[in-house]
Amino acid sequence: MTRKLGGGSLVIATHNAGKLKEISALLEPYGMKCLSAGSLGLPEPAETGTTFVENALIKARAAAEASGIVALADDSGLAVDALDGRPGVYTADWAERQWFEGEPGRDWYMAMGKVEGMLQELSADADRSAAFHCVLAISWPDGEHAVYEGRCPGSLTWPPRGELGFGYDPVFVPQAREGSETFAEIEPDEKHRISHRADAFAKLVKDQFGVA
């Protein structure tokens, strides 16, 4: 039997205010008070895992051990079938650009172009099947943990389309919807309903709070 949260405080292993807000809104109905690792001054651990599960657990365990409070972390990314699951855990790394005038940052169009270039190198009609993955890991200070995996299958298109969303959204067409709109062309509420993160959260809520 999976250990239950049972309400109370929960550290979200992130320094991103937007992610804290999103997760807090999802868990508030179940009596969870969410705090961010950033607000507690907790360091960000090196994500040295080779899978989404490993990296989510690294972040959750680090936050739980440092705070003494139950922690929740997520790790997510894009896996392309024809590229043997890449970029996978390196999804964000593929967008990292070199230092330019002292300003580091991410160029998602560069990352999308890298994926497209690799597919074109394989063949003009390469398999474009892909999926976004999300892993949510809960860790208790004593080391016990629970993991929930979500997935949103789809296919890649080119060139990028749409102004909504972020990351690889402009080239990802979700299988769950009819038509050829990308994640960056559909309304955020619709995207969140069918996303990999929504799938993972649905499994967490069902297991932890008994809500289908």
Side-chain angles (χ1 to χ4, degrees), residues 16-41:
N16 184 311
K19 183 176 288 188
L20 173 67
K21 182 178 180 181
E22 177 184 341
I23 295 176
S24 295
L26 290 166
L27 293 178
E28 186 178 9
Y30 308 104
M32 303 304 305
K33 178 183 179 182
C34 297
L35 310 167
S36 73
S39 69
L40 297 176

Side-chain angles (χ1 to χ4, degrees), residues 55-117:
N55 280 336
L57 282 171
I58 285 171
K59 291 182 281 189
R61 284 169 172 159
E65 291 172 4
S67 67
I69 303 172
V70 186
L72 170 69
D74 80 318
D75 199 60
S76 58
L78 176 71
V80 182
D81 290 0
L83 302 183
D84 298 322
R86 291 175 292 171
V89 295
Y90 306 107
T91 291
D93 295 339
W94 281 23
E96 292 290 348
R97 62 174 183 258
Q98 298 296 317
W99 287 72
F100 178 72
E101 296 182 354
E103 294 292 333
R106 289 174 176 166
D107 184 338
W108 291 105
Y109 277 87
M110 176 184 73
M112 288 184 279
K114 181 175 181 177
V115 170
E116 179 63 20

Side-chain angles (χ1 to χ4, degrees), residues 13-15 37 42-48 55-63 73:
T14 184
H15 287 237
L42 305 182
E44 295 184 89
E47 297 178 34
T48 56
N55 280 336
L57 282 171
I58 285 171
K59 291 182 281 189
R61 284 169 172 159

Side-chain angles (χ1 to χ4, degrees), residues 108-179:
W108 291 105
Y109 277 87
M110 176 184 73
M112 288 184 279
K114 181 175 181 177
V115 170
E116 179 63 20
M118 294 177 75
L119 288 174
Q120 290 291 339
E121 286 180 6
L122 291 175
S123 73
D125 58 351
D127 180 12
R128 290 181 167 270
S129 300
F132 274 117
H133 294 259
C134 175
V135 170
L136 297 173
I138 300 172
S139 181
W140 282 263
D142 62 9
E144 191 170 345
H145 67 270
V147 170
Y148 305 92
E149 300 184 53
R151 184 173 178 271
C152 179
S155 60
L156 300 180
T157 187
W158 193 263
R161 303 194 307 267
E163 302 296 327
L164 305 172
F166 58 90
Y168 296 81
D169 285 358
V171 295
F172 184 78
V173 178
Q175 189 181 93
R177 298 181 82 254
E178 293 183 2

